[in-house]
Amino acid sequence: MIILIGGEKGGTGKTTLVTNLAAMRRNQDGDVLVIDTDKQGSASYWAATREGNELFTRVPSIQKFGKAIASEIKDLACRYEDIIIDAGGRDSIELRAAMTVVEQLIIPIQASQFDVWTLAAMSELVNQAIAFNQDLKTFVVLNRASTNPSVSETQEAKEVLEDFENLKLLNTVVHDRIAYRKAAKSGLSVVELQPKEVKAAREMTSLYKEIFHE
Ligand SMILES: Nc1ncnc2c1ncn2[C@@H]1O[C@H](COP(=O)(O)OP(=O)(O)OP(=O)(O)O)[C@@H](O)[C@H]1O
Ligand SMILES: [Mg+2]
């Protein structure tokens, strides 16, 4: 499976999802490569931190920049079962190029900053990519949702997304939890934290299953 985690906005949780999903895939004996197309290099930094901890599975990662990544992704797809790409901050050359070759695009959106303009722009980009990549499936995942049950962000997001035929909302909602920041700092996924972070682990497992169809 070739998965791209991208979007038009910075700081929505792209690297968080890339690193968690990649570690979980490795833990299932998956043959996965992370491609970091962000010059900030946070996913690569995470992978390097992880490598320093021999108790955990190594997650291979490489950095790639520029338009050529479309053909590079295709080449690498022959060598790895799964590729997870971190598209970095904004509407970039890498995001556009990768969209033409991946199977799934996952767009994390911060529940509290949910905005229709970003979605309209992404929907337009997806339409352009589909001209080259008819099999592209695009999903939106709500991230950093409030853990306060009285906040109705999820329902609002569902209603807005109904207007975009090419963007589907994943059932799993990822909440704002310290566990994500703890895991990121140590090169881990939330399912690997000790003591266990049950709620974060549960939602990430649910997201993993939705994305990898398990
Ligand atoms: N569900 C969450 N709960 C708590 N903190 C989170 C969550 N998701 C992301 N964060 C934190 O928010 C910050 C931004 O997340 P992240 O780096 O994953 O976003 P990004 O989309 O990759 O950003 P950029 O556009 O800069 O690459 C990080 O400090 C991260 O630890
Ligand atoms: Mg990032």
Side-chain angles (χ1 to χ4, degrees), residues 9-17 38 40 42 86-90 108 110 143-145 174-182 184 203-204:
K9 266 199 165 158
T12 53
K14 295 178 290 291
T15 304
T16 301
L17 296 189
D38 186 353
Q40 291 182 88
S42 348
D86 186 338
R90 57 229 75 74
Q110 272 202 35
N143 184 26
R144 299 194 79 164
V174 180
H175 292 86
D176 193 13
R177 304 184 196 279
I178 305 262
Y180 290 101
R181 290 199 286 279
K182 266 198 228 162
E203 67 194 12
M204 223 6 90

Side-chain angles (χ1 to χ4, degrees), residues 9-10 13 20 30 49 61 65 67 88 119 123 139-141 155 165 199 203 213-214:
K9 266 199 165 158
N20 274 279
T49 309
S61 76
F65 309 113
K67 216 164 51 185
L119 283 183
S123 173
F139 302 96
V140 169
V141 57
Q155 190 47 40
E165 240 176 60
K199 289 180 178 168
E203 67 194 12
H213 309 301
E214 281 183 359

Side-chain angles (χ1 to χ4, degrees), residues 114 153-164 169:
F114 187 69
E153 291 160 342
T154 311
Q155 190 47 40
E156 286 163 22
K158 271 189 189 150
E159 284 164 20
V160 176
L161 273 161
E162 276 166 12
D163 294 338
F164 298 96
L169 184 64

